[in-house]
């Protein structure tokens, strides 16, 4: 499998610019097939494509100068790049910036909407438990009634960043009802 850490570089004399990337090398570039195999057979050919008649282009490998920092939904992950023409490399440095209150609110709202979609599916899947002729005991019917009400109210006492949000306990052991367990919450990013 080929690396997806190459940057296509525009070369104009001693001026270098990133055209796109990071991405995998193309399989075919201009009239050269198996271009992507140069990563393994002769990576030095990628830094400048004079040999192909295209001195204005190169594919430089990206190297990380640091690891991606741990972050949460209150921070944006950013990167900066530095071109190193002597070695045909792109140095990538990762850093964090704080998100605005509006960005944080947007992330939390999107996260909660994902959870609401799942919640709504479980409400639909359990609608039948409240029908008058459903073949379950009154006790199990009441358990589902409580469960469904807790699903509806689960966002009522949630903090602005989603703190306190939990799935209610789903009734179990009900004959003839086999629902999948509630999934874990998606990550808040």
């Amino acid at each position: 499998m080929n690396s997806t850490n190459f940057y296509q570089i525009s070369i104009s004399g001693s001026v270098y610019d990133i055209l796109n990337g990071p991405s995998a090398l193309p399989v075919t570039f201009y009239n050269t097939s198996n271009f992507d195999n140069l990563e393994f057979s002769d990576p030095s050919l990628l830094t400048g494509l004079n040999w192909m008649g295209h001195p204005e282009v190169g594919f430089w490998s990206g190297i990380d100068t640091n690891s991606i920092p741990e972050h949460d939904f209150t921070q944006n992950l950013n990167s900066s790049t530095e071109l190193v023409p002597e070695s045909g490399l792109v140095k990538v440095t990762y850093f964090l910036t704080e998100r605005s209150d509006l960005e944080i609110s947007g992330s939390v709202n999107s996260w909660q909407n994902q959870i609401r979609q799942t919640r709504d599916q479980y409400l639909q899947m359990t609608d039948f438990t409240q029908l008058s002729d459903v073949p379950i005991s009154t006790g199990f019917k009441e358990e589902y009634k409580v469960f469904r009400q807790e699903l509806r109210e689960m966002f009522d006492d949630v903090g602005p960043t989603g703190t306190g949000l939990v799935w209610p306990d789903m009734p179990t052991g009900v004959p003839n009802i086999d629902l999948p367990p509630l999934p874990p919450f998606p990550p808040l990013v």
Side-chain angles (χ1 to χ4, degrees):
M1 176 177 261
N2 294 343
S3 169
T4 58
N5 202 25
F6 282 92
Y7 293 81
Q8 185 176 358
I9 306 297
S10 166
I11 303 169
S12 178
S14 62
V15 177
Y16 305 89
D17 289 309
I18 296 175
L19 294 174
N20 62 52
S23 62
L25 291 172
V27 174
T28 302
F29 192 71
Y30 290 107
N31 293 330
T32 303
S33 59
N34 294 323
F35 184 81
D36 57 331
N37 287 329
L38 290 175
E39 173 184 358
F40 308 107
S41 62
D42 194 350
S44 65
L45 291 176
L46 294 169
T47 59
L49 303 182
N50 290 337
W51 60 274
M52 283 180 67
H54 293 282
E56 75 284 0
V57 180
F59 287 88
W60 295 4
S61 182
I63 59 165
D64 295 340
T65 61
N66 62 332
S67 56
I68 295 175
E70 296 243 352
H71 60 287
D72 63 23
F73 68 98
T74 65
Q75 302 164 310
N76 286 317
L77 175 63
N78 303 285
S79 64
S80 64
T81 55
E82 176 190 353
L83 301 175
V84 186
E86 305 80 44
S87 58
L89 294 173
V90 177
K91 289 184 178 180
V92 182
T93 303
Y94 299 100
F95 61 97
L96 301 174
T97 56
E98 295 299 315
R99 285 184 166 176
S100 70
D101 289 343
L102 186 61
E103 290 173 308
I104 292 170
S105 175
S107 289
V108 171
N109 286 338
S110 175
W111 176 72
Q112 288 183 354
N113 285 337
Q114 289 178 336
I115 295 168
R116 279 186 181 95
Q117 288 176 351
T118 301
R119 184 237 6 225
D120 293 348
Q121 290 172 345
Y122 276 82
L123 284 169
Q124 287 176 348
M125 287 189 292
T126 58
D127 276 345
F128 76 95
T129 65
Q130 301 308 297
L131 296 173
S132 61
D133 62 348
V134 70
I136 61 175
S137 72
T138 305
F140 285 138
K141 190 173 187 176
E142 184 61 29
E143 284 183 39
Y144 272 103
K145 181 178 179 182
V146 169
F147 170 69
R148 290 166 51 78
Q149 189 60 37
E150 289 173 348
L151 282 173
R152 288 185 197 95
E153 295 172 350
M154 66 186 280
F155 290 94
D156 289 357
D157 295 322
V158 175
T161 59
T163 55
L165 190 60
V166 294
W167 289 121
D169 290 331
M170 186 166 49
T172 58
V174 183
N176 302 326
I177 298 179
D178 187 25
L179 296 174
L182 289 158
F185 290 144
L188 174 56
V189 291

